[in-house]
Amino acid sequence: MLPVSLVSPGASPHGVGGTRRGSGPVLPGSPHTLPTAADDGGFESGTYNNSAIRTPNLDALARRSVVFQNAFTSVSSCSPSRASILTGLPQHQNGMYGLHQDVHHFNSFDSVRSLPRLLSHARVRTGIIGKKHVGPEAVYPFDFAYTEENSSVLQVGRNITRIKALVRQFLRSQDERPFFLYVAFHDPHRCGHSQPQYGAFCEKFGNGESGMGWIPDWKPQLYHPEQVQVPHFVPDTPAARADLAAQYTTIGRMDQGIGLVLEELRRAGFHNSTLVIYTSDNGIPFPSGRTNLYRSGTAEPLLISSPEHTARWGQVSQAFASLLDLTPTILDWFSIPYPSYSIFGTKRVQLSGKSLLPALESEQPWATTFSSQSHHEATMYYPMRAIQHQQFRLIHNLNYKMPFPIDQDFYVSPTFQDLLNRSQAGQPTHWNKTLHQYYYRDRWELFDCSRDPTESQNLAPDPRYAPVFQQLRAQLLKWQWDTSDPWVCAPDAVLEEKLSPQCRPLHNEL
């Protein structure tokens, strides 16, 4: 489920909230963790004020959680986000620059010490059910694994009856070690590109109709297009509304799955000793969502339920959080020191995120997050770096003279095809942008999200905002140097680490 942290680089993981249980190997009887993640999920839940959708299980979890209103992914792409969640390192530092599977073939660097590796060394049992989408295996080992690597991702990621059985199998183990069980739902990811027979969002998979199979524990909820809430960044058209209605159905399946998982936790007697987390990996697969570093592409739901912090259950936090904070949070929960190691050479890698446990005790002043994106698919090279500090978001589009790329499964979606057809025919798109504006962006984009929540007015050229622009640009650049960003000098200079200055100008007229 981070960036300007109150834990300085190299500080103890307990530097913010104080030592919880001491350090050293995690002992039998210690608390457990159960993070759950949606795939391309957003704020479609009652908890986040969507009154059009029914999500009783997420709403019930929220009543036992701190609800974060300003949580952000560090990268709006599946594999890079999941790698960042499981390493505490941004994509440009852990090496997962884009999607992991098939022709894309991105992998984290071999020396990266991921959360499952760190937990295993501390005698915590690790498990994953559902979508893994990261590699190599040696960097991301799990003791118990049912993922797309050894199973059908539809069965282990969308079949909630199968997910329930696997959770029960994991929890019934006689292994007495504390556990980390990561349940990564494949819902509500689009599937029109890969399994179109099941619908645009696999909303028909397992619904009992002819050829669709049957998921016994799922009671499908159907929505009419006129019922949905259309986000400001999505065209308000019949095609997009039908798309959202299908998405709602699959979110309902995931919501029921979360209820089953938490019931298994209760039945096994672990509900009063387990830190439960719910979030998503990136923005929803609609225009300005996934693959974008706008708020619409990076803002995420985040619920953290701690049995030790009941006083804040049901409260809303405005503190800024990042999914890069999840590794520090889980290490802190188990009282495991933060890692410090080298990926290349002698420079030490240190987590730039912070533990979120203090926010479970009292409201925190955190107000800064960073994000970093280089690829989605292998052909989608569009590097971006961004910072949000308080109400201001600054985005650096390094390849700003190139058109913004469109990924495969979004391209064939009903929403985008309708947008293309309307644009070509000169018809109203009912969207807050034109395709030209979407494809071609300024090098620097600065938004005041408090006055301009749709991020429509770029303030970067406005001299009145020059101090804000320069401050955020300096903060962003410092973060890039601190996290060993290979793109730190781009696009108008070359990084030469053994020279001074290290950014050597290209004189390329940018």
Side-chain angles (χ1 to χ4, degrees):
M1 101 116 75
L2 309 108
V4 165
S5 71
L6 297 183
V7 181
S8 60
S12 162
H14 315 293
V16 176
T19 301
R20 297 182 60 257
R21 299 181 190 85
S23 59
V26 181
L27 303 176
S30 296
H32 316 284
T33 59
L34 196 154
T36 63
D39 195 354
D40 293 358
F43 296 95
E44 302 80 17
S45 68
T47 296
Y48 285 99
N49 300 318
N50 186 320
S51 59
I53 192 171
R54 297 183 294 279
T55 52
N57 296 288
L58 281 173
D59 298 348
L61 176 61
R63 291 191 288 272
R64 293 171 54 93
S65 303
V66 172
V67 179
F68 288 84
Q69 292 283 19
N70 289 298
F72 301 91
T73 181
S74 68
V75 51
S76 192
S77 176
C78 181
S79 295
S81 179
R82 290 163 191 268
S84 295
I85 289 171
L86 291 174
T87 64
L89 307 178
Q91 57 85 25
H92 63 251
Q93 190 172 23
N94 71 52
M96 188 72 71
Y97 300 144
L99 299 183
H100 165 65
Q101 85 288 2
D102 302 330
V103 68
H104 312 302
H105 197 60
F106 290 102
N107 284 277
S108 288
F109 298 124
D110 293 341
S111 300
V112 167
R113 298 185 187 177
S114 71
L115 184 58
R117 282 184 64 184
L118 295 170
L119 294 177
S120 180
H121 290 161
R123 294 189 50 76
V124 175
R125 183 181 179 225
T126 62
I128 180 172
I129 298 168
K131 189 171 181 178
K132 186 178 182 183
H133 216 217
V134 293
E137 170 66 23
V139 172
Y140 299 98
F142 288 86
D143 300 323
F144 178 98
Y146 286 85
T147 71
E148 73 278 3
E149 295 180 349
N150 58 14
S151 309
S152 161
V153 71
L154 292 180
Q155 293 298 330
V156 297
R158 300 190 197 261
N159 183 341
I160 60 176
T161 298
R162 174 71 171 144
I163 293 169
K164 176 186 75 172
L166 290 171
V167 170
R168 181 176 299 177
Q169 180 182 339
F170 180 87
L171 295 179
R172 284 186 173 180
S173 168
Q174 297 303 307
D175 195 317
E176 294 185 353
R177 291 176 295 171
F179 64 75
F180 166 86
L181 178 58
Y182 173 35
V183 181
F185 292 91
H186 196 22
D187 282 327
H189 193 284
R190 289 188 180 277
C191 73
H193 175 68
S194 54
Q195 292 101 7
Q197 68 273 25
Y198 295 126
F201 280 92
C202 272
E203 69 273 11
K204 299 178 183 178
F205 174 71
N207 70 359
E209 295 179 5
S210 178
M212 298 295 107
W214 179 49
I215 301 174
D217 287 293
W218 182 36
K219 296 178 177 59
Q221 298 167 323
L222 304 180
Y223 295 86
H224 297 293
E226 61 271 17
Q227 292 178 297
V228 303
Q229 290 184 7
V230 182
H232 69 83
F233 53 91
V234 175
D236 192 350
T237 60
R241 283 180 168 271
D243 231 3
L244 289 166
Q247 180 209 33
Y248 280 21
T249 295
T250 59
I251 289 171
R253 178 167 56 205
M254 180 191 67
D255 177 79
Q256 293 177 37
I258 287 172
L260 295 173
V261 169
L262 295 181
E263 179 59 27
E264 290 301 319
L265 196 69
R266 283 188 288 270
R267 287 184 176 183
F270 295 119
H271 61 293
N272 286 325
S273 57
T274 302
L275 183 76
V276 176
I277 300 170
Y278 168 76
T279 189
S280 182
D281 53 355
N282 47 247
I284 63 175
F286 286 85
S288 296
R290 185 184 65 196
T291 75
N292 287 270
L293 292 191
Y294 300 121
R295 185 181 180 97
S296 49
T298 58
E300 302 299 334
L302 180 61
L303 310 177
I304 302 183
S305 176
S306 165
E308 296 188 6
H309 301 86
T310 59
R312 290 209 76 193
W313 279 6
Q315 292 187 17
V316 172
S317 174
Q318 301 296 335
F320 279 38
S322 164
L323 299 192
L324 287 173
D325 294 337
L326 294 187
T327 282
T329 300
I330 292 168
L331 291 175
D332 199 11
W333 178 253
F334 285 119
S335 296
I336 299 172
Y338 289 7
S340 177
Y341 58 95
S342 297
I343 295 178
F344 300 111
T346 60
K347 184 174 181 179
R348 309 295 289 177
V349 171
Q350 296 169 330
L351 301 183
S352 58
K354 60 187 177 294
S355 171
L356 297 176
L357 295 187
L360 307 186
E361 299 176 354
S362 61
E363 186 66 357
Q364 299 297 314
W366 308 322
T368 311
T369 60
F370 298 90
S371 46
S372 164
Q373 185 137 343
S374 299
H375 289 264
H376 181 66
E377 295 162 1
T379 55
M380 293 177 63
Y381 180 65
Y382 198 87
M384 301 172 285
R385 303 294 183 263
I387 176 175
Q388 176 147 352
H389 178 66
Q390 297 175 349
Q391 77 267 34
F392 291 103
R393 174 175 293 265
L394 179 68
I395 301 173
H396 187 193
N397 298 306
L398 279 66
N399 266 30
Y400 66 102
K401 290 195 173 185
M402 295 293 290
F404 188 80
I406 305 298
D407 64 271
Q408 290 177 310
D409 72 337
F410 173 52
Y411 180 83
V412 301
S413 71
T415 296
F416 192 70
Q417 285 297 306
D418 181 66
L419 181 57
L420 286 178
N421 293 336
R422 287 173 176 269
S423 297
Q424 289 177 311
Q427 298 173 349
T429 62
H430 303 284
W431 190 31
N432 66 348
K433 296 181 180 180
T434 66
L435 272 179
H436 182 85
Q437 290 171 329
Y438 190 64
Y439 290 147
Y440 296 98
R441 307 178 180 189
D442 295 327
R443 175 171 178 174
W444 295 97
E445 296 181 280
L446 175 65
F447 303 105
D448 182 344
C449 298
S450 63
R451 297 184 178 183
D452 177 25
T454 63
E455 295 176 318
S456 300
Q457 184 180 2
N458 183 11
L459 303 174
D462 190 332
R464 294 175 297 176
Y465 289 87
V468 173
F469 174 79
Q470 294 301 335
Q471 177 190 357
L472 295 186
R473 183 175 177 178
Q475 284 183 265
L476 181 59
L477 185 64
K478 181 181 184 301
W479 181 72
Q480 289 182 265
W481 283 113
D482 289 345
T483 55
S484 302
D485 187 354
W487 282 264
V488 67
C489 301
D492 40 21
V494 169
L495 175 62
E496 293 287 354
E497 294 181 334
K498 296 182 180 180
L499 300 177
S500 182
Q502 292 182 320
C503 289
R504 313 297 286 186
L506 286 167
H507 305 291
N508 58 8
E509 301 178 10
L510 291 182

